Amino acid sequence: QVRLVESGGGLVQAGGSLRLSCAASERMFGIFSDYPMGWFRQAPGKEREFVGGISWDGGTTTYADSVKGRFTISRDNPTRLRYLQMNSLKPEDTALYYCAAAAVHGGPLRSISEYDYWGQGIQVTVSS
């Protein structure tokens, strides 16, 4: 079963930092490194929105304007982990964060419909 698992969420004060990680299940492990992946978030009462994405080879990233300059996506090739480093957090960054992967080469991808696999989500809460 293909599965993505997020970790690293929690409660942080405004101005602080968190790093989210995304790991692939064993079945997906061997090919995960070749997939573009993305991070999305959903706040209560709002639609899920794009946060950032990285291409299949890790060479290109793209970000939503709301997080540009504050958030950074990276990947660790030996462990096949993907990271979302979040700095200068604001209360409006509070949301359930999801990682996603697309079963294609290329990317980065910005649309929810382009992604095939999703994690269960992890809560990030930023207090003022």
Side-chain angles (χ1 to χ4, degrees):
Q1 181 178 357
V2 175
R3 196 163 63 99
L4 301 177
V5 179
E6 303 94 342
S7 61
L11 173 65
V12 64
Q13 288 187 333
S17 298
L18 280 176
R19 188 178 75 164
L20 303 184
S21 300
C22 179
S25 61
E26 184 174 349
R27 175 177 172 177
M28 194 173 176
F29 190 79
I31 53 178
F32 187 48
S33 63
D34 292 336
Y35 284 4
M37 68 86 61
W39 288 94
F40 293 78
R41 67 186 182 186
Q42 187 167 16
K46 295 187 177 181
E47 295 184 350
R48 191 172 300 188
E49 65 175 4
F50 172 76
V51 173
I54 188 167
S55 59
W56 72 279
D57 61 354
T60 307
T61 54
T62 184
Y63 300 93
D65 289 342
S66 59
V67 306
K68 199 173 295 183
R70 300 188 297 123
F71 290 12
T72 304
I73 293 176
S74 62
R75 54 185 251 167
D76 181 77
N77 286 336
T79 61
R80 310 279 172 89
L81 290 173
R82 304 294 185 268
Y83 300 105
L84 178 66
Q85 178 67 44
M86 305 184 292
N87 299 328
S88 302
L89 282 162
K90 305 174 182 180
E92 50 263 44
D93 294 318
T94 295
L96 197 60
Y97 282 73
Y98 299 87
C99 69
V104 295
H105 278 195
L109 308 172
R110 300 177 68 96
S111 172
I112 290 174
S113 62
E114 294 178 292
Y115 286 90
D116 302 289
Y117 307 107
W118 291 83
Q120 79 288 352
I122 192 163
Q123 181 66 38
V124 171
T125 303
V126 184
S127 63
S128 58

PDB file of all heavy atoms in Angstrom, residues 1-2 57 91 99 108 120:
ATOM      1  N   GLN A   1       0.847  -1.185   0.000  1.00  0.00           N
ATOM      2  CA  GLN A   1       0.000   0.000   0.000  1.00  0.00           C
ATOM      3  C   GLN A   1       0.884   1.237   0.000  1.00  0.00           C
ATOM      4  O   GLN A   1       1.814   1.361   0.788  1.00  0.00           O
ATOM      5  CB  GLN A   1      -0.885   0.007   1.244  1.00  0.00           C
ATOM      6  CG  GLN A   1      -1.815   1.206   1.305  1.00  0.00           C
ATOM      7  CD  GLN A   1      -2.718   1.168   2.524  1.00  0.00           C
ATOM      8  OE1 GLN A   1      -2.691   0.210   3.293  1.00  0.00           O
ATOM      9  NE2 GLN A   1      -3.504   2.197   2.709  1.00  0.00           N
ATOM     10  N   VAL A   2       0.592   2.139  -0.911  1.00  0.00           N
ATOM     11  CA  VAL A   2       1.351   3.373  -0.994  1.00  0.00           C
ATOM     12  C   VAL A   2       0.878   4.305   0.096  1.00  0.00           C
ATOM     13  O   VAL A   2      -0.310   4.536   0.259  1.00  0.00           O
ATOM     14  CB  VAL A   2       1.157   4.033  -2.367  1.00  0.00           C
ATOM     15  CG1 VAL A   2       1.843   5.385  -2.400  1.00  0.00           C
ATOM     16  CG2 VAL A   2       1.691   3.128  -3.468  1.00  0.00           C
ATOM     17  N   ASP A  57      13.491  15.721  -9.794  1.00  0.00           N
ATOM     18  CA  ASP A  57      14.932  15.609  -9.587  1.00  0.00           C
ATOM     19  C   ASP A  57      15.443  16.561  -8.513  1.00  0.00           C
ATOM     20  O   ASP A  57      16.650  16.632  -8.260  1.00  0.00           O
ATOM     21  CB  ASP A  57      15.678  15.876 -10.893  1.00  0.00           C
ATOM     22  CG  ASP A  57      15.419  17.280 -11.429  1.00  0.00           C
ATOM     23  OD1 ASP A  57      14.581  18.007 -10.850  1.00  0.00           O
ATOM     24  OD2 ASP A  57      16.047  17.648 -12.438  1.00  0.00           O
ATOM     25  N   PRO A  91       0.441  33.568  12.515  1.00  0.00           N
ATOM     26  CA  PRO A  91      -0.806  32.889  12.911  1.00  0.00           C
ATOM     27  C   PRO A  91      -1.617  32.407  11.713  1.00  0.00           C
ATOM     28  O   PRO A  91      -2.266  31.358  11.799  1.00  0.00           O
ATOM     29  CB  PRO A  91      -1.545  33.971  13.699  1.00  0.00           C
ATOM     30  CG  PRO A  91      -0.451  34.805  14.290  1.00  0.00           C
ATOM     31  CD  PRO A  91       0.612  34.845  13.212  1.00  0.00           C
ATOM     32  N   CYS A  99       1.534  16.413   2.727  1.00  0.00           N
ATOM     33  CA  CYS A  99       2.470  16.208   1.634  1.00  0.00           C
ATOM     34  C   CYS A  99       1.797  15.326   0.591  1.00  0.00           C
ATOM     35  O   CYS A  99       0.900  14.553   0.909  1.00  0.00           O
ATOM     36  CB  CYS A  99       3.777  15.596   2.116  1.00  0.00           C
ATOM     37  SG  CYS A  99       3.703  13.895   2.699  1.00  0.00           S
ATOM     38  N   PRO A 108       8.065  21.147 -10.843  1.00  0.00           N
ATOM     39  CA  PRO A 108       7.097  21.007  -9.756  1.00  0.00           C
ATOM     40  C   PRO A 108       5.653  21.290 -10.189  1.00  0.00           C
ATOM     41  O   PRO A 108       5.438  21.955 -11.184  1.00  0.00           O
ATOM     42  CB  PRO A 108       7.562  22.064  -8.739  1.00  0.00           C
ATOM     43  CG  PRO A 108       8.264  23.091  -9.569  1.00  0.00           C
ATOM     44  CD  PRO A 108       8.911  22.343 -10.700  1.00  0.00           C
ATOM     45  N   GLN A 120      -1.715  11.840   5.532  1.00  0.00           N
ATOM     46  CA  GLN A 120      -2.926  12.003   6.329  1.00  0.00           C
ATOM     47  C   GLN A 120      -3.053  13.412   6.903  1.00  0.00           C
ATOM     48  O   GLN A 120      -4.096  13.784   7.405  1.00  0.00           O
ATOM     49  CB  GLN A 120      -2.948  10.987   7.479  1.00  0.00           C
ATOM     50  CG  GLN A 120      -2.086  11.344   8.686  1.00  0.00           C
ATOM     51  CD  GLN A 120      -0.602  11.214   8.449  1.00  0.00           C
ATOM     52  OE1 GLN A 120      -0.148  10.714   7.414  1.00  0.00           O
ATOM     53  NE2 GLN A 120       0.194  11.656   9.413  1.00  0.00           N
TER      54      GLN A 120
END
